[in-house]
Amino acid sequence: MKKKSNYKPSKDVIKRSFFRNLANVQGKFPALASRYDYYMALAFTVRDMLMARWVGTANEYTRSKSRTVAYLSAEFLMGPHLASNLLNLGITSEVRQAMAELGLNLNELLTEEPEPGLGNGGLGRLAACFLDSMASMEIPSVGYGIRYEFGIFEQVIVDGWQVEKTDKWLFRGNPWEIIRPEWAVEIKLGGRTERYTNEIGEQIVSWIPDWVVKGVPYDTPILGYRNNTANTLRLWQAIAPESLNFSRFNQGDYYGAVEEKVASENLTKILYPNDGTLQGKQLRLEQQYFFVSCSLQDMLRIMKTQRIRLDHFHEKFAVQLNDTHPAIAIAELMRLLVDENAMPWDMAWQVTQKTFSYTNHTLLPEALECWPVEMMEQLLPRILEIIYEINHHFLDQVRAECLNDMDKVFRMSLIDDSHKRMVRMAHLACVGSHAINGVAELHTELLKNDVLKDFYNFWPAKFSNKTNGVTPRRWLALCNPRLSRVITEAIGESWVKDLSCLENLEPFITEPGFLDRWQDAKRVNKHEFAVNLYKRTGFGVDPESIFDVQVKRIHEYKRQHLNILYIISLYQRMKTDPHFDFHPRTFIFAGKAAPGYHLAKLIIKLINAVGEVVNRDRATKDRLKVVFLPNFNVTNGQQIYAAAEVSEQISTAGKEASGTGNMKFAMNGAMTLGTLDGANIEIREEVGAENFFLFGHTDGEVKALWKEGYTPYDYYLKNPAIKSAIDLINSGFFSHGDTEMFRDLTNNLLYSDPYQVFADFDAYTSCQDEVDLAYRDVARWQTMSVLNTTRSGKFSSDRTIAEYCQDIWKVKSIPIDTPQLDPLKLG
């Protein structure tokens, strides 16, 4: 039986360690220290406390040669570390008291932590939740990704428009990471391949690169909740093998002397470079190959350290591809096994297929990555040859199976020859993996029947569903301490590790005073959010109004423009009918648009333009507010989810793979207003149809409308509310008389409407009326809120990880003993 550590440092121990780090690490004393210095000192103090767990975990995994999950992801949107580590160590209260005795406010210190913007949204946040769950469930794992010097851009709003600023998250250092230069690896790029026969007659392929980049790992501990496990997030940074060319420097070519350094470091400079240009596309491909090659070489190093034979690679590592970004790892592992380690092709392919599993996260064709053959040939010549070889063997199988059905051969080929020759990365992921999964029941069915239909028919046993989940540690315990206290006082704290325990809360609905305590927590959250919103935006909102929230990436398929069209229609009803009975409502938006996505940026501008008009109109300002919160991230999300009452999940049915924001809202007691899309379907099944506001066409009905010849202009002509809203926009009413400002957006709706905004408008309006009616019945609304929380147990990422472990990874937990740093007991 492994012993669990329940040691908690005293306030005096915390204070002594804090001052030691302030002096020895920050080099400051209190008279000179800034609040950021105090944050850094506290961060190093907390890191010191978890180092024994981190070292002990690594030692146990090495000793036991544990089967390990390697999670490959281009994004890890971890959020701030300090508060999460305090929660997981169970010392938040002690640290808060220690800081208070030193005249410091813990909440103020927490705001000093820069948030690592190493992800765009749901994909990176899911990866972070999964790492948290694996550590909390004591699953041996390592997350592999890229240490972007500049993460997702910082969004500011200037005159209603999104403006992107550089996200300098590393500007003042990162106390949570440790650099491991001794484990650096080399990555080949460009050049050519050469073939020769060795002394025993074997054909050998050698890749002669044009240039080489070095990958250096930076490690961050990922602490489990109240256990001794501390897994690792390993992020790779690119550097030049030689930082300075002395020969060129001595010749006076000072810029040329550092040219290689600059070119190499550009590789990991920024998250998702704009791929609208050829250079941007190439850089993104370089990034993907760079981090998977670094990661696979690191796994081979671990194999060597633990003295495990290479033909057992798939028994040591279960490698999960988080979407198609890391799919090139399949070809790279083949290269490393065949070219670098002389493993026979057939054996290497068996090992590779048994190693990888692939999660698909999108139903949008444009998001299924494809790379030009010509680009890959120039940049990764050996990888392209291996992909050709994989495709050759695979298509032989397809021909045999389908009796040379050339249409199917063409559809399933890894190479798309229809126009400009492209490598289909989703196809490579399907062929090279032993398991393929979607992330919600509807999404998985659509993969089987549409997006990956040919592959499902070919390998039905490969496919399964793993509905996403979110960690209850960050997204309830940490972000909503008031509601968490109400829950814990009623049923104890076991729910933090087993979210299904929330169902024990349901009988308390009839207990006197329980609903009032629940509502009080929500009310205080709303007031606190209103204060923070005013500080950040200057907008004052009524905490007694309904907080109706849509926060997520700005994209047409997520239909923020459906929401804003309804708000315009609502505004018109309020203006034309003074007796219109409507409970005060605050509509809150947040989210970033891709820098090159014109229509998404127009949607942001329209939201702000409508807000500018509505919020200053005396006739409506006390009953209707529209606010856009800039720079949506994990930190802002934690405040929003705790305060929200209505969760807008209104994507066109069949377009959202899963969604995880919908889960966070429900977990915090907000009611979902949504379509039958992604995980909305399962949320509705769990919380009950009576506790979910449903509207809109189903996926089948959406497809039928297109088949029948969907004509949005007909809706415009026949629906007075739609026509009035569109005409008001086009009149320049929200743009200071500029009739052309929003024309691209309104024309897109009138003559294309690719996500059927008009088709769902009336149903959405009716559903909003139902929300208004339900909110007036205070007891009913409070009960619905409680039931959304109590029935959200399925949507814990712990449940998702348990399913991956059982069905795909075949990995078991390894408890870690009481942490010790005695070197005689390590190794």
Side-chain angles (χ1 to χ4, degrees):
M1 174 73 73
K2 298 286 184 183
K3 294 178 289 182
K4 299 292 183 183
S5 173
N6 56 9
Y7 167 74
K8 285 189 177 184
S10 67
K11 289 183 295 179
D12 289 339
V13 168
I14 293 170
K15 287 188 284 187
R16 283 198 300 271
S17 180
F18 174 78
F19 278 119
R20 184 171 62 249
N21 280 302
L22 183 64
N24 296 348
V25 180
Q26 288 304 100
K28 295 287 184 68
F29 55 92
L32 293 182
S34 66
R35 194 160 73 181
Y36 186 78
D37 289 317
Y38 288 131
Y39 154 72
M40 289 290 281
L42 181 56
F44 280 114
T45 298
V46 174
R47 198 186 80 174
D48 290 344
M49 295 175 189
L50 60 83
M51 285 302 294
R53 288 172 169 82
W54 200 13
V55 173
T57 300
N59 176 64
E60 177 60 24
Y61 292 168
T62 301
R63 185 199 64 79
S64 65
K65 301 181 180 180
S66 62
R67 179 163 169 77
T68 300
V69 177
Y71 199 81
L72 299 186
S73 180
E75 301 183 29
F76 284 98
L77 199 59
M78 300 304 298
H81 291 278
L82 178 54
S84 177
N85 284 330
L86 291 176
L87 174 73
N88 288 345
L89 287 167
I91 60 171
T92 303
S93 178
E94 289 80 1
V95 169
R96 187 180 300 279
Q97 292 175 31
M99 294 299 101
E101 291 179 9
L102 297 175
L104 299 170
N105 183 298
L106 177 59
N107 289 343
E108 291 180 353
L109 297 185
L110 292 175
T111 64
E112 289 294 312
E113 180 171 0
E115 181 171 324
L118 306 183
N120 187 44
L123 188 78
R125 189 51 234 169
L126 180 76
C129 286
F130 280 5
L131 293 190
D132 175 272
S133 285
M134 286 188 277
S136 296
M137 298 168 69
E138 302 174 314
I139 303 299
S141 61
V142 57
Y144 283 112
I146 299 177
R147 184 180 183 264
Y148 303 100
E149 183 178 345
F150 303 110
I152 186 70
F153 61 87
E154 178 186 352
Q155 180 194 56
V156 295
I157 302 299
V158 178
D159 191 27
W161 293 98
Q162 170 181 290
V163 175
E164 301 93 22
K165 290 193 172 182
T166 306
D167 172 35
K168 302 175 183 177
W169 73 281
L170 287 171
F171 177 67
R172 296 193 286 184
N174 178 10
W176 302 106
E177 65 184 6
I178 292 179
I179 184 174
R180 310 282 196 186
E182 70 277 15
W183 293 340
V185 297
E186 291 192 342
I187 307 301
K188 299 176 181 180
L189 294 166
R192 67 189 190 281
T193 60
E194 292 183 353
R195 285 167 170 74
Y196 62 92
T197 304
N198 65 11
E199 61 276 6
I200 60 173
E202 295 175 324
Q203 285 288 318
I204 304 298
V205 180
S206 179
W207 181 358
I208 314 298
D210 279 340
W211 74 98
V212 173
V213 176
K214 221 171 189 180
V216 179
Y218 286 73
D219 287 359
T220 300
I222 305 299
L223 193 63
Y225 179 76
R226 311 288 167 90
N227 62 24
N228 297 320
T229 297
N231 289 330
T232 297
L233 170 62
R234 181 159 293 160
L235 302 178
W236 299 93
Q237 178 173 307
I239 64 170
E242 296 294 337
S243 297
L244 183 70
N245 186 318
F246 274 106
S247 175
R248 297 179 74 172
F249 186 84
N250 289 333
Q251 293 169 11
D253 184 5
Y254 303 128
Y255 290 106
V258 294
E259 183 179 8
E260 185 179 356
K261 172 181 168 63
V262 172
S264 297
E265 293 180 357
N266 276 343
L267 206 152
T268 53
K269 187 67 72 176
I270 191 166
L271 170 75
Y272 289 165
N274 187 346
D275 62 356
T277 65
L278 187 63
Q279 293 89 342
K281 289 182 188 295
Q282 178 172 318
L283 180 54
R284 189 177 288 202
L285 178 58
E286 288 174 357
Q287 286 184 340
Q288 293 182 5
Y289 178 70
F290 167 79
F291 99 84
V292 301
S293 182
C294 289
S295 304
L296 290 169
Q297 290 185 62
D298 191 59
M299 292 178 225
L300 291 176
R301 177 191 60 79
I302 293 170
M303 297 273 290
K304 185 176 181 180
T305 300
Q306 298 182 8
R307 298 179 180 177
I308 302 173
R309 285 169 31 195
L310 281 186
D311 58 341
H312 291 265
F313 187 95
H314 59 286
E315 296 173 0
K316 169 62 183 174
F317 288 106
V319 181
Q320 188 69 37
L321 305 175
N322 192 28
D323 216 4
T324 55
H325 308 123
I328 204 165
I330 291 166
E332 173 63 4
L333 181 57
M334 287 296 292
R335 186 190 72 83
L336 291 169
L337 295 177
V338 174
D339 292 358
E340 304 292 335
N341 291 279
M343 185 180 289
W345 177 276
D346 290 343
M347 179 185 292
W349 184 241
Q350 287 184 18
V351 169
T352 297
Q353 277 194 312
K354 291 177 180 178
T355 295
F356 289 103
S357 44
Y358 163 52
T359 300
N360 174 283
H361 283 280
T362 183
L363 294 164
L364 302 179
E366 63 269 24
L368 294 172
E369 286 186 313
C370 294
W371 295 110
V373 166
E374 182 181 2
M375 178 185 292
M376 191 171 285
E377 187 173 35
Q378 294 175 354
L379 186 65
L380 305 170
R382 180 56 182 149
I383 294 301
L384 182 60
E385 289 176 356
I386 289 172
I387 290 174
Y388 281 150
E389 187 69 15
I390 293 170
N391 199 39
H392 171 73
H393 290 285
F394 169 60
L395 292 184
D396 281 348
Q397 286 182 266
V398 175
R399 291 186 188 95
E401 182 77 20
C402 68
L403 298 177
N404 212 30
D405 179 345
M406 293 310 296
D407 286 340
K408 180 172 285 189
V409 171
F410 175 81
R411 291 197 307 269
M412 298 184 74
S413 174
L414 306 188
I415 309 298
D416 182 355
D417 288 312
S418 60
H419 181 51
K420 184 177 179 180
R421 301 186 73 220
M422 307 286 281
V423 181
R424 297 160 161 164
M425 302 309 290
H427 290 205
L428 177 62
C430 290
V431 173
S433 300
H434 67 89
I436 303 163
N437 71 278
V439 291
E441 289 175 1
L442 174 63
H443 172 234
T444 300
E445 289 306 306
L446 292 173
L447 288 180
K448 292 177 181 180
N449 298 320
D450 188 3
V451 180
L452 299 176
K453 180 179 180 180
D454 288 321
F455 291 94
Y456 173 67
N457 291 336
F458 200 73
W459 287 306
K462 279 191 180 187
F463 284 74
S464 68
N465 177 61
K466 299 290 173 281
T467 297
N468 284 341
V470 300
T471 170
R473 268 76 62 182
R474 182 174 293 275
W475 296 115
L476 185 51
L478 186 62
C479 82
N480 201 340
R482 295 183 183 89
L483 199 64
S484 296
R485 279 195 295 272
V486 174
I487 295 170
T488 299
E489 286 169 3
I491 63 172
E493 61 181 5
S494 59
W495 62 270
V496 184
K497 284 205 73 171
D498 181 2
L499 201 62
S500 66
C501 291
L502 287 179
E503 64 189 18
N504 297 325
L505 200 64
E506 202 159 320
F508 285 86
I509 291 175
T510 58
E511 182 181 288
F514 177 78
L515 289 179
D516 290 338
R517 293 194 296 276
W518 188 274
Q519 186 61 25
D520 286 344
K522 178 66 76 173
R523 184 177 295 111
V524 175
N525 287 343
K526 290 175 67 180
H527 277 265
E528 186 176 86
F529 177 75
V531 170
N532 291 333
L533 185 68
Y534 183 77
K535 288 178 180 177
R536 289 199 57 204
T537 67
F539 288 116
V541 299
D542 178 11
E544 298 303 316
S545 65
I546 303 173
F547 278 15
D548 186 318
V549 183
Q550 187 174 15
V551 294
K552 53 184 74 240
R553 183 163 49 96
I554 308 297
H555 196 291
E556 289 171 88
Y557 89 83
K558 295 178 184 289
R559 300 202 295 190
Q560 286 91 352
H561 44 350
L562 171 59
N563 192 342
I564 199 68
L565 280 179
Y566 165 73
I567 293 170
I568 294 170
S569 175
L570 179 64
Y571 172 69
Q572 290 176 304
R573 288 168 71 186
M574 296 172 75
K575 290 283 286 182
T576 56
D577 182 2
H579 303 293
F580 175 51
D581 188 19
F582 179 78
H583 192 283
R585 184 90 65 106
T586 298
F587 289 91
I588 301 166
F589 294 85
K592 298 179 180 180
Y597 193 169
H598 173 59
L599 288 182
K601 286 188 163 184
L602 267 183
I603 290 173
I604 292 176
K605 173 61 176 175
L606 180 60
I607 292 169
N608 283 291
V610 171
E612 183 183 359
V613 170
V614 168
N615 296 342
R616 72 184 181 201
D617 192 321
R618 292 183 179 181
T620 59
K621 71 175 185 177
D622 293 329
R623 294 194 296 158
L624 180 62
K625 286 288 177 70
V626 181
V627 179
F628 189 94
L629 180 67
N631 205 42
F632 182 58
N633 56 16
V634 173
T635 302
N636 295 331
Q638 289 178 193
Q639 300 171 6
I640 292 171
Y641 294 124
E645 293 173 293
V646 177
S647 162
E648 298 267 357
Q649 307 298 329
I650 60 177
S651 55
T652 312
K655 298 301 180 184
E656 186 73 83
S658 170
T660 53
N662 47 8
M663 302 171 187
K664 296 164 195 169
F665 280 115
M667 200 174 285
N668 283 276
M671 261 59 72
T672 305
L673 190 165
T675 54
L676 287 178
D677 195 30
N680 287 357
I681 298 169
E682 291 158 76
I683 291 175
R684 183 170 180 263
E685 290 172 352
E686 293 295 315
V687 306
E690 69 280 8
N691 302 307
F692 185 107
F693 295 99
L694 175 68
F695 80 97
H697 291 90
T698 65
D699 171 62
E701 291 167 343
V702 167
K703 290 175 180 174
L705 274 176
W706 287 121
K707 192 173 182 180
E708 294 165 6
Y710 175 63
T711 308
Y713 198 78
D714 288 345
Y715 285 81
Y716 165 77
L717 293 176
K718 296 175 182 177
N719 189 310
I722 292 176
K723 188 175 188 305
S724 179
I726 293 293
D727 288 350
L728 196 62
I729 296 170
N730 284 340
S731 72
F733 182 78
F734 299 109
S735 47
H736 305 287
D738 186 343
T739 59
E740 295 301 313
M741 180 178 290
F742 299 111
R743 190 71 65 171
D744 287 348
L745 183 60
T746 55
N747 283 350
N748 178 267
L749 288 170
L750 287 167
Y751 306 112
S752 177
D753 194 10
Y755 299 104
Q756 296 189 1
V757 170
F758 287 179
D760 276 348
F761 181 85
D762 275 352
Y764 180 66
T765 299
S766 297
C767 203
Q768 288 283 19
D769 290 342
E770 292 175 25
V771 170
D772 185 78
L773 185 63
Y775 196 83
R776 297 164 189 264
D777 187 338
V778 176
R780 178 190 172 195
W781 190 269
Q782 290 176 351
T783 300
M784 292 169 70
S785 176
V786 175
L787 290 176
N788 266 267
T789 298
T790 63
R791 296 173 181 177
S792 63
K794 174 180 177 178
F795 304 106
S796 167
S797 50
D798 297 351
R799 185 269 313 155
T800 313
I801 290 300
E803 291 180 5
Y804 273 104
C805 286
Q806 179 178 327
D807 301 338
I808 295 177
W809 299 335
K810 311 298 181 186
V811 176
K812 296 181 179 179
S813 65
I814 295 187
I816 306 301
D817 206 341
T818 303
Q820 301 178 51
L821 279 179
D822 184 349
L824 297 178
K825 296 183 180 180
L826 297 176

